Amino acid sequence: MRAHALIFLGAPGAGKGTQAREIARHFAIPQVSTGDILREAARKQTPLGLAAKANMEAGELVPDEVVCGIVEERIGEPDCQNGFILDGFPRTIVQAQFVERMLQAKGRGRPQVLDIEVDEDLLLKRLTGRRTCSVCGEIYNVYFNPPKVEGICDKDGGKLLYRADDNEETIRQRVQAYHRQTSPLIEFYRAQGVLHEVDGNKEPEAIAKGLVEFLSQA
Ligand code: AP5
């Protein structure tokens, strides 16, 4: 894999987190998820978390300057020196331009962008059915990938949580925000020749296998 930064693009529920987790494990690079960082800040009730919470609960994007600051700080940490995955970032043209400047400043080339495309009528079931382990972050789905014991993580027995923004009304807002503010990034990156489209309707294992093959050659 040549690119220093891998970007996962896709609608809410497309499978960015699921795939980013597998690719991070396979290539031993960190997964930087702005959604996870913001949720953790909200849980700890830091000023940043409290400010972002209202946007997240409304299904709106958190302001660009806030998320760019988070990413800048996170990728400055030592474990990101040899590359990293951006999961759910950038989500606006302003954020994409920030990534461009940041990689340039580090003397790195362009990112590799993986756009996960999923039929829109699947998103609601994927999101309302999602459960995430409170300990290790493993992602399940009560319809498509249920745990062996309801509410409990197969790997470490952790309690499975339901995300506050995974309700129908907020999902609708999140999908609208994606179409309005994030989907223009597809053309932005296609024009740069760094976009790779991924069929996200397949089984997660098949998608991951295809991604590993692609990235091993890219
Ligand atoms: P974030 O946490 O990034 O949420 P999102 O983009 O809405 O994406 P999701 O995490 O919901 O979905 P995913 O694509 O990762 O799917 P997953 O793999 O979990 O952001 C939350 C909020 O934070 C935003 O609304 C915003 O307010 C704020 N925010 C974050 N980043 C920001 C930024 N850059 N700028 C501004 N604001 C920002 O899969 C979903 C479900 O489907 C799971 O149950 C999974 O098991 C299942 N599944 C996955 N793949 C498959 C498959 N192939 N087949 C069947 N089921 C599958």
Side-chain angles (χ1 to χ4, degrees), residues 128-184:
T128 54
R130 171 167 49 195
R131 303 289 183 273
T132 309
C133 177
S134 53
V135 178
C136 69
E138 191 68 19
I139 306 169
Y140 295 88
N141 191 288
V142 298
Y143 305 111
F144 305 117
N145 172 32
K148 292 195 182 91
V149 180
E150 194 185 325
I152 304 289
C153 178
D154 295 349
K155 304 214 159 149
D156 56 21
K159 192 173 168 207
L160 300 187
L161 302 179
Y162 174 77
R163 257 170 59 176
D165 60 347
D166 280 347
N167 63 77
E168 283 197 31
E169 173 54 23
T170 313
I171 292 169
R172 208 167 47 81
Q173 299 298 333
R174 286 160 60 199
V175 171
Q176 276 179 16
Y178 167 77
H179 285 303
R180 210 172 42 242
Q181 292 163 280
T182 307
S183 64

Side-chain angles (χ1 to χ4, degrees), residues 2 10 14-15 29 34 36 48 65-66 70 86 89 91-92 94 96 170 176 190 195 200 209 211 218:
R2 275 200 301 269
I29 51 172
T34 41
D36 286 349
L48 166 86
E65 59 277 16
V66 175
I70 289 175
L86 294 174
F89 184 93
R91 263 170 143 103
T92 64
V94 169
T170 313
Q176 276 179 16
R190 185 178 282 127
L195 188 84
K209 187 167 177 279
L211 281 175

